[in-house]
Amino acid sequence: MDAQVRWLEPARWRAAQAAHEARVDAATAGHRDRRARGRPHPVEDFLWVYYRLRPALLRRWHPGPGVVLGGGARARQATWKHYLIDGDDVRLDTAGFLAHRGRAVREVATLLRATASRTARFGCFGLHEWAMVYQADDTRHPWPLRLGAAGTDEVVRSRPLRCTHYDAFRFFTPEAVPRNESALAADTRVRHEQPGCLHAGMDLYRFAYSLTPGVPSELVMDCFEHARRAREIDMRASPYDLSDLGYEAIPIETASGRAEYVAQQQALAEAASVLRNRLLDACGQVSEVPLSDPRPRRTPARRRPEPAGTTSSCG
């Protein structure tokens, strides 16, 4: 691709930054309120418990590679890791970022390309959540099982387990592990990930934020919102009764429920495919963007020392 460098005037990038902060504030309001009251939510809080990026770090706006913030030398980005001050402007230090995170960029791109190359599979019916409580004395969430323990176990026994996502498979109960059609492992995920998997789509959020500031914040938030939608479908198809929280079950133990799940899964897979391609483009852009800026330099670009205690948004 031909990487382009864009210079943004102060009013334009400040408006983009404010819009991002407002978007994050709206998306995290419920979580922040529940956290203050000590009332966790099994669906809405998953992205914060499992993925662990703090709302304050998600709120940081990163323009991505190839964008120069005009008049940004005193902007907050100028104090963050992997940014350079260039005269009155600030931009991503792509060379420094790649020196620190280049391996991660390559690994993410490799996994995304492998996933995208495969035909989507839609025959798992969300049974991974059921396999996590199969023949178990305790459940993973403090909510009742819709069919009870015996009914849940019977559903698992009645259908083949076709999970392709290691980070779901690793939570299977010992009794459920041998029932899966594939023995998954962390070092073989590149061979198994496929684009129909809800969790493969959810993980686009993790990959996006883990590569900030090399990935623009708009893409990170698009992946966040996709992951939140996928989590809702994931839990509606789970064995838990979440009706008190307002979630209508997708009863995958029935033919109509399985058909509904597949329809939702297909829609999510199509959306994830678009995000996956955008993330692949971002990985390529951060590796190829030219280091020169579109405006004449007044002073050599320099790295601004980080204040003590400053942390990277890569968390």
Side-chain angles (χ1 to χ4, degrees), residues 130-142:
W130 299 67
M132 294 177 191
V133 295
Y134 178 64
Q135 294 186 359
D137 294 330
D138 298 313
T139 59
R140 290 176 53 79
H141 301 289

Side-chain angles (χ1 to χ4, degrees), residues 14-306:
R14 286 172 182 153
Q17 178 172 267
H20 169 74
E21 292 171 351
R23 183 183 182 185
V24 173
D25 288 346
T28 62
H31 168 71
R32 289 183 284 112
D33 177 67
R34 287 188 299 273
R35 184 178 58 185
R37 293 185 291 123
R39 300 183 63 180
H41 193 289
V43 179
E44 292 291 332
D45 290 340
F46 176 80
L47 270 61
W48 309 109
V49 175
Y50 182 75
Y51 291 115
R52 297 184 180 277
L53 184 71
R54 300 193 304 275
L57 292 180
L58 182 62
R59 196 175 189 269
R60 289 186 173 189
W61 179 70
H62 299 283
V67 178
V68 180
L69 305 183
R74 294 180 177 82
R76 65 193 68 165
Q77 286 82 356
T79 68
W80 295 347
K81 192 173 183 178
H82 301 311
Y83 280 92
L84 291 175
I85 301 171
D86 195 357
D88 292 332
D89 305 332
V90 68
R91 59 178 170 83
L92 179 68
D93 174 14
T94 53
F97 175 77
L98 288 173
H100 180 63
R101 301 288 292 156
R103 179 178 178 180
V105 172
R106 292 189 296 272
E107 289 177 347
V108 167
T110 296
L111 179 59
L112 296 183
R113 281 193 294 267
T115 303
S117 71
R118 298 191 175 95
T119 301
R121 299 174 58 184
F122 300 107
C124 70
F125 305 122
L127 281 167
H128 54 274
E129 286 286 345
W130 299 67
M132 294 177 191
V133 295
Y134 178 64
Q135 294 186 359
D137 294 330
D138 298 313
T139 59
R140 290 176 53 79
H141 301 289
W143 295 92
L145 299 174
R146 289 191 296 107
L147 306 180
T152 299
D153 291 348
E154 178 57 33
V155 171
V156 175
R157 285 192 292 265
S158 70
R159 307 202 66 83
L161 298 181
R162 294 169 175 161
C163 183
T164 57
H165 189 71
Y166 170 71
D167 282 329
F169 175 77
R170 67 191 177 96
F171 291 109
F172 281 21
T173 64
E175 293 77 12
V177 166
R179 303 187 68 87
N180 202 53
E181 68 174 9
S182 299
L184 308 179
D187 59 356
T188 63
R189 70 174 70 229
V190 174
R191 299 208 306 264
H192 293 284
E193 289 282 16
Q194 53 89 18
C197 174
L198 259 68
H199 280 264
M202 292 173 69
D203 275 355
L204 295 174
Y205 168 58
R206 174 166 60 90
F207 298 144
Y209 79 67
S210 71
L211 297 182
T212 54
V215 172
S217 289
E218 179 184 6
L219 176 54
V220 176
M221 275 303 294
D222 288 347
C223 291
F224 170 88
E225 292 177 351
H226 175 83
R228 187 161 62 178
R229 289 192 295 272
R231 174 61 175 176
E232 179 179 335
I233 298 303
D234 198 29
M235 291 304 289
R236 286 179 58 201
S238 77
Y240 297 100
D241 182 355
L242 302 178
S243 56
D244 287 349
L245 297 175
Y247 294 101
E248 181 181 358
I250 299 176
I252 57 91
E253 68 274 12
T254 68
S256 61
R258 290 191 293 274
E260 180 182 357
Y261 181 83
V262 170
Q264 296 281 2
Q265 190 178 22
Q266 289 173 332
L268 286 167
E270 291 177 6
S273 178
V274 174
L275 293 173
R276 187 174 291 109
N277 288 334
R278 288 174 60 193
L279 191 50
L280 273 169
D281 287 344
C283 288
Q285 187 180 12
V286 75
S287 301
E288 297 178 17
V289 67
L291 299 181
S292 59
D293 290 340
R295 305 180 75 203
R297 294 184 181 177
R298 289 172 292 279
T299 59
R302 66 191 188 280
R303 292 176 177 81
R304 182 162 178 168
E306 284 192 70

